[in-house]
Amino acid sequence: NITFEQLRQSYYEQTEALIEGGSDVILVETIFDTLNAKAALFAIEEVFEKLNVRLPLMISGTVTDASGRILSGQTVTAFWHSVRHARPLAVGLNCALGAALMRPYIQELAKAAPDTFISCYPNAGLPNPMSDTGFDETPEVTSRLVHEFAAEGLVNILGGCCGTTPDHIGAIAKAVEKVPARKMFYPAEV
């Protein structure tokens, strides 16, 4: 039970502190509710105006299940259209799903946002309490899958979320080091 104004004020204080503390980029991530994200984006813009500064902004949503929607019910494309006004440097998906299950949603986002960098940092698979690590995907599996995303020209920024380890990140870096960057298309080219 929180209001938009309470969220806006909280995000305002956090953004101001991050900028005053020397942050180089602002990341609004693990978004499962677009209205909450809009409060954050509104507050960020207010702080940018107050401090007369504009840092790069990154936005990352979370698809929570195989429905392809964030928890508040939006598709990935609808989510993008709800936040694109913030002119982010990158938009992406993180958390909730492993790379294997994230593929169709990264494909959808890359198509919906052709003129924006796409980020992807999946879990190491779905949580599995029976696994030694709590997640099913090994560094080899995760890196192979995200390499496919990069080779298909779907992503610009890769990483890992829940369950990923330094070994996962190292394997991802090695898997994509020779893959060309995703080409972005601008409206006149699409």
Side-chain angles (χ1 to χ4, degrees), residues 114-129:
D115 59 349
T116 304
F117 291 117
I118 302 295
S119 67
C120 174
Y121 46 113
N123 284 358
L126 294 174
N128 177 359

Side-chain angles (χ1 to χ4, degrees), residues 42-153:
F42 188 85
I44 290 165
E45 187 60 34
E46 285 184 311
V47 175
F48 285 173
E49 287 181 19
K50 175 189 173 192
L51 299 179
N52 195 28
V53 66
R54 180 162 298 278
L55 296 181
L57 175 64
M58 296 174 63
I59 299 172
S60 187
T62 298
V63 173
T64 57
D65 59 35
S67 72
R69 297 174 182 272
I70 64 173
L71 195 58
S72 59
Q74 284 187 307
T75 65
V76 171
T77 299
F79 168 71
W80 166 241
H81 288 290
S82 295
V83 300
R84 70 184 295 171
H85 70 278
R87 301 177 320 274
L89 171 68
V91 64
L93 298 175
N94 74 293
C95 204
L97 303 175
L101 295 175
M102 195 179 276
R103 173 188 296 277
Y105 314 118
I106 285 293
Q107 288 171 321
E108 179 182 347
L109 186 59
K111 183 177 179 182
D115 59 349
T116 304
F117 291 117
I118 302 295
S119 67
C120 174
Y121 46 113
N123 284 358
L126 294 174
N128 177 359
M130 301 303 285
S131 168
D132 291 340
T133 63
F135 293 85
D136 287 331
E137 289 182 11
T138 63
E140 294 74 26
V141 170
T142 300
S143 64
R144 177 181 51 78
L145 292 168
V146 298
H147 171 269
E148 292 172 8
F149 298 175
E152 289 176 34

